[in-house]
Amino acid sequence: MSTADQMPELDAVQRQALAWVIRLNSGGATSDDAAALALWRKRGPEYEDAFREAVQFWRTFGEATRELVGRNEARAMPPVRSRPVLSRRLLIGGGVAAAASLGGIYVSKHPPLGLWPSIEELAADHRTGKGERRKIEVAKNAVMTLNTQTAVSVRSASATPRVALISGEAAVDVSRDVGAMVIDAAGGRIEAQQASFNVRCVDQSVSVACFTGDVQVEWEGRRAVLAASQQLTYSEESGLTAVAPADAEQATAWQRGLLLVHDWPVDRLVAEINRYRPGRIVIMNSNLGRRMISGTFYLDHLDDFVAQVHGLFGATARTLPGGILLLS
């Protein structure tokens, strides 16, 4: 029995939703596609619901989802009007060409391809854009303040709330009137009752810093408990690290509109700035990427960074369409 035989018949909106999901996972999607999808989802609640269902179909059946819309699935979608926005393909071509003209190609650890959200982020219940911060009440007396580029899905809003942190960063406050709040992030589980803490999930690496109360962290069968002023991280690369003292000033700086940097390589700082700044900064010189930098940066004036690296290291900048900035 084929995948299509296992599914109910789809109406026109559902077919369009599946076609959007297929396009976004095709490897050829552009920023125009992302913008057009955003408009399509705003047509009405049935469009938003259909898109979320389509994401679930894709998660379950993957490429076999194509059977549901047929070989000519592109016809199910409204046409995408071209806009003067840098597409993914143009970015790759333009970046490589610019690098070649400068005598070498170097791309930072986070390549400049994340110009629009992933399929999981697009389907989240709450999502912030670049530079945006937003407070949400998951349940009574359970509040999350979402940092830039953060996506959260609410799995339960009952007396024991549970959410999935798909990506990004959030400050969490849970009062005594709420049962244990659970946050799922990158395969791990974070649980707290009457506590305040910060949790960050970027590139499938999770860091948790506890400020008050205590927080339990479970990952890959291992468990640790954080008391106030303690932190840890977990990822496939590092495993579950040992509990260590937390730098509360560093962990909460974003809530005050600041980015505190102490002896970071430039490429790490650029990766963090790219989470807040529209467009993308790309380092074209490996030596520049390894230089160390310290300072306090204001999140609403991040372009000041370019002048600073010019003054400190003599770096030059080249601007491309779409907010792309090449540093060498």
Side-chain angles (χ1 to χ4, degrees):
M1 180 180 293
S2 69
T3 301
D5 293 333
Q6 302 175 48
M7 299 288 186
E9 289 295 321
L10 305 175
D11 61 28
V13 173
Q14 290 172 321
R15 289 174 64 85
Q16 288 181 12
L18 283 170
W20 276 117
V21 171
I22 290 169
R23 176 179 285 181
L24 291 174
N25 284 279
S26 68
T30 69
S31 52
D32 288 334
D33 293 321
L37 171 60
L39 293 175
W40 183 87
R41 291 173 65 183
K42 290 179 180 178
R43 289 184 178 182
E46 68 274 23
Y47 290 84
E48 179 66 20
D49 291 343
F51 178 75
R52 294 183 183 278
E53 290 175 1
V55 170
Q56 291 297 330
F57 281 139
W58 183 268
R59 289 173 182 162
T60 303
F61 296 100
E63 288 291 337
T65 307
R66 295 182 185 278
E67 295 182 40
L68 297 175
V69 290
R71 293 174 178 266
N72 298 317
E73 68 273 357
R75 295 178 183 176
M77 287 183 289
V80 178
R81 294 184 179 180
S82 178
R83 299 180 301 111
V85 175
L86 193 67
S87 74
R88 190 171 190 157
R89 290 175 175 173
L90 285 175
L91 173 60
I92 296 172
V96 171
S101 70
L102 292 171
I105 300 176
Y106 172 76
V107 179
S108 65
K109 245 181 178 180
H110 302 275
L113 300 179
L115 294 178
W116 54 85
S118 69
I119 190 74
E120 295 287 340
E121 292 166 337
L122 284 170
D125 294 314
H126 304 279
R127 179 167 61 86
T128 55
K130 283 195 172 188
E132 180 185 2
R133 293 192 294 272
R134 184 191 314 162
K135 183 174 290 188
I136 63 172
E137 186 177 66
V138 179
K140 184 180 179 181
N141 298 321
V143 177
M144 299 180 72
T145 302
L146 310 184
N147 195 7
T148 180
Q149 285 195 299
T150 297
V152 170
S153 287
V154 179
R155 294 177 172 174
S156 172
S158 64
T160 54
R162 184 167 191 159
V163 304
L165 177 61
I166 299 167
S167 63
E169 183 173 26
V172 186
D173 287 293
V174 187
S175 80
R176 70 180 67 189
D177 299 323
V178 177
M181 180 175 179
V182 175
I183 299 176
D184 300 310
R189 172 189 170 100
I190 302 152
E191 184 174 332
Q193 185 175 9
Q194 195 176 351
S196 63
F197 58 99
N198 195 85
V199 57
R200 172 185 168 106
C201 178
V202 175
D203 295 332
Q204 296 301 295
S205 177
V206 177
S207 60
V208 186
C210 178
F211 307 129
T212 63
D214 58 74
V215 179
Q216 300 179 28
V217 181
E218 295 183 15
W219 184 80
E220 295 288 323
R222 298 178 60 193
R223 181 175 176 272
V225 179
L226 298 176
S229 302
Q230 292 184 329
Q231 66 182 8
L232 59 69
T233 64
Y234 65 81
S235 67
E236 290 291 343
E237 183 177 350
S238 66
L240 183 68
T241 66
V243 173
D247 185 342
E249 185 179 16
Q250 174 86 39
T252 61
W254 64 268
Q255 298 181 59
R256 305 188 301 276
L258 301 175
L259 176 59
L260 305 183
V261 176
H262 179 66
D263 287 337
W264 285 16
V266 170
D267 57 3
R268 177 185 173 186
L269 176 55
V270 165
E272 188 66 13
I273 287 175
N274 281 336
R275 297 183 60 239
Y276 294 89
R277 177 187 175 275
R280 204 77 173 175
I281 298 175
V282 184
I283 300 176
M284 309 300 291
N285 183 295
S286 58
N287 291 329
L288 174 61
R290 290 191 293 265
R291 300 294 293 269
M292 306 302 290
I293 190 170
S294 298
T296 298
F297 299 87
Y298 292 89
L299 296 179
D300 55 355
H301 291 90
L302 286 175
D303 280 338
D304 292 347
F305 159 77
V306 177
Q308 292 185 35
V309 293
H310 173 73
L312 288 171
F313 311 123
T316 59
R318 178 181 176 186
T319 302
L320 296 179
I324 308 303
L325 186 68
L326 307 181
L327 283 180
S328 59

